[in-house]
Amino acid sequence: MKSRHRLLLKSNLISLFFIAMSFMSITLAWFAYSGLSTVSTDIDVKAWYIEFDKNGNSVSGDITISVDEIAPGMEAKNETVNIKNLGDSDAIIDYDIKSIRILDEEINLDGLSRLEIEDKLAHDYPFHININLGKGYALAKNGVSEFIVSITWPLDSLNDEFDSDWGNSIYNFRKSEEAKLASNPDYVMRQPIRIVLSLRAEQYIGESEGNDLEFSLGHVFLYDVVANKKCDSIGGNCLKTYVLDTNNVVSDDSVTLLPDIYNVYGIGAFNDYLDIYNSIVASWTVNNRPMVAEDLLKVISTDIVNSYLIRDGLSDTLIGNLKYGNRASSVLALSQSYNGYFKFVHNNFNFLNANGCYWLNSEYDVNKAYALKYIDDTYSVIQGLDKNDSCNIVPIISVSKENLK
């Protein structure tokens, strides 16, 4: 598909995100400021209207996001901007991180990708700032997406000294700002953390690095795994499948699909995994491979509100952003070190909410392997199960996009 780009709206939606932290003892007050402004377009070809909604109120100007208090052990604080496309053209929604200041340090963003910056915000401090754009698009005529910010500070971590040092640094910064104000009434006090974001909406016409609307996470395809082609009716070798990629872009030649886990492809102990797997795919001609823990961890981590890492002796913590580098593998290793597991709301991923357990081809320790397991009507987990337990085995497949058109 040729890449053409006509900008119908570049809403110069400048989001100023002020995370104001006043720290007294262990209490930290946080304020966030986000601004959206709409710039009209003189291109009158199709109706074009993107609505931004916060707390049930439509907004086209400034948006203020505020949280009364942030402190170690706090519950997660979440702010959501709902995005709705009321126009006649599909819209790409995207954002940039323009600047970050933490205390007196202006973070140098030169040479850093957005993935690197978000990874730093999510994992390099005792407080965790996670930013997520639900879908990178909003379809014409009532298509929706959402922009979410989640801020947490676990009560305990792996490094108490690290927590204390940051608490003292923020307290000292605040006292310094108060002293400056006392000596100069015209001084405008700075907040300990300041992040500037730019949110934008553009007409979708298939940019090579833009989201591929046809292959978004959870999108359904019927595929014949023996004939290796798209099919029309479920049954036999024609399986219902779901897109497992969290960010498939137009320039990607293939897509990863998860066959419907309601089906039983093979079942048995993890010790017999390879034999069972090979018997399942013996007649399949489509590219296939075993499903591993990282596959599902990357999926459930896109929910930055409800997906948690649970560990013995430590407070629960949001899984957070896992998009960059080997972060997913390092978080898996962290869970193993503290007898941990991952808990998520399975109704947010309708293709992962089947009752039962499903082996992932990833060892937890010498006696256990990771598995997806249904807990109740709300939650599922990714945890280590005894290798002698009996669970389902589901291969995943990689399919050329051309075969799905």
Side-chain angles (χ1 to χ4, degrees), residues 116-160:
E116 292 175 284
I117 299 168
E118 291 179 345
D119 185 79
K120 182 179 182 68
L121 292 174
H123 300 285
D124 285 5
Y125 304 99
F127 44 87
H128 308 300
I129 304 169
N130 286 285
I131 303 169
N132 188 63
L133 181 62
K135 292 186 297 187
Y137 62 89
L139 298 177
K141 301 184 185 299
N142 297 318
V144 297
S145 185
E146 59 183 9
F147 183 73
I148 302 176
V149 179
S150 174
I151 300 91
T152 59
W153 191 335
L155 179 62
D156 46 20
S157 69
L158 300 177
N159 192 333
D160 291 338

Side-chain angles (χ1 to χ4, degrees), residues 75 134 154 338:
E75 292 185 1
Y338 290 86

Side-chain angles (χ1 to χ4, degrees), residues 29-300:
W30 179 76
F31 303 92
Y33 169 82
S34 174
L36 295 175
S37 59
T38 301
V39 178
S40 62
T41 176
D42 58 1
I43 302 175
D44 189 19
V45 178
K46 292 184 179 181
W48 177 263
Y49 179 52
I50 309 296
E51 180 181 84
F52 295 87
D53 177 281
K54 180 181 178 293
N55 297 329
N57 298 312
S58 294
V59 293
S60 58
D62 293 345
I63 296 177
T64 301
I65 301 173
S66 62
V67 178
D68 293 337
E69 185 175 283
I70 184 171
M74 63 176 279
E75 292 185 1
K77 303 294 184 180
N78 310 302
E79 293 290 344
T80 302
V81 177
N82 294 303
I83 303 166
K84 190 172 185 178
N85 184 359
L86 301 175
D88 296 328
S89 298
D90 296 337
I92 286 294
I93 310 297
D94 206 354
Y95 66 97
D96 298 306
I97 300 174
K98 309 298 288 186
S99 67
I100 302 170
R101 179 182 51 76
I102 298 179
L103 302 184
D104 287 315
E105 180 187 5
E106 292 284 350
I107 305 300
N108 185 0
L109 305 183
D110 293 343
L112 296 179
S113 67
R114 193 174 77 190
L115 292 181
E116 292 175 284
I117 299 168
E118 291 179 345
D119 185 79
K120 182 179 182 68
L121 292 174
H123 300 285
D124 285 5
Y125 304 99
F127 44 87
H128 308 300
I129 304 169
N130 286 285
I131 303 169
N132 188 63
L133 181 62
K135 292 186 297 187
Y137 62 89
L139 298 177
K141 301 184 185 299
N142 297 318
V144 297
S145 185
E146 59 183 9
F147 183 73
I148 302 176
V149 179
S150 174
I151 300 91
T152 59
W153 191 335
L155 179 62
D156 46 20
S157 69
L158 300 177
N159 192 333
D160 291 338
E161 184 177 355
F162 185 58
D163 285 347
S164 297
D165 287 345
W166 268 99
N168 290 331
S169 294
I170 294 173
Y171 174 78
N172 291 333
F173 176 87
R174 187 69 180 180
K175 296 300 288 183
S176 174
E177 291 296 298
E178 291 173 351
K180 293 175 183 178
L181 178 62
S183 63
N184 179 7
D186 295 326
Y187 180 74
V188 178
M189 288 180 56
R190 297 178 302 162
Q191 306 302 339
I193 295 177
R194 181 175 183 270
I195 301 173
V196 180
L197 305 167
S198 175
L199 185 65
R200 62 183 185 274
E202 300 171 358
Q203 182 187 16
Y204 175 80
I205 52 175
E207 275 196 338
S208 61
E209 294 307 315
N211 292 100
D212 197 327
L213 274 60
E214 297 180 66
F215 301 97
S216 58
L217 178 65
H219 194 94
V220 175
F221 289 99
L222 302 186
Y223 203 78
D224 190 316
V225 294
V226 174
N228 196 14
K229 64 180 182 180
K230 189 176 179 180
C231 50
D232 300 319
S233 180
I234 299 174
N237 298 316
C238 182
L239 307 179
K240 184 178 183 179
T241 68
Y242 300 85
V243 173
L244 202 59
D245 296 333
T246 58
N247 186 34
N248 196 284
V249 298
V250 174
S251 60
D252 290 333
D253 295 324
S254 62
V255 61
T256 305
L257 302 176
L258 172 67
D260 194 343
I261 63 176
Y262 278 96
N263 291 344
V264 177
Y265 305 96
I267 188 169
F270 184 82
N271 292 323
D272 300 321
Y273 185 97
L274 289 180
D275 289 339
I276 298 171
Y277 179 88
N278 288 331
S279 67
I280 295 171
V281 301
S283 62
W284 292 17
T285 61
V286 64
N287 289 331
N288 62 84
R289 64 172 176 83
M291 182 163 53
V292 296
E294 286 90 342
D295 290 322
L296 296 191
L297 191 57
K298 289 177 180 179
V299 170
I300 68 171

Side-chain angles (χ1 to χ4, degrees), residues 18-37:
F18 295 90
I19 307 173
M21 300 184 177
S22 319
F23 195 93
M24 299 303 252
S25 183
I26 62 168
T27 301
L28 194 63
W30 179 76
F31 303 92
Y33 169 82
S34 174
L36 295 175
S37 59

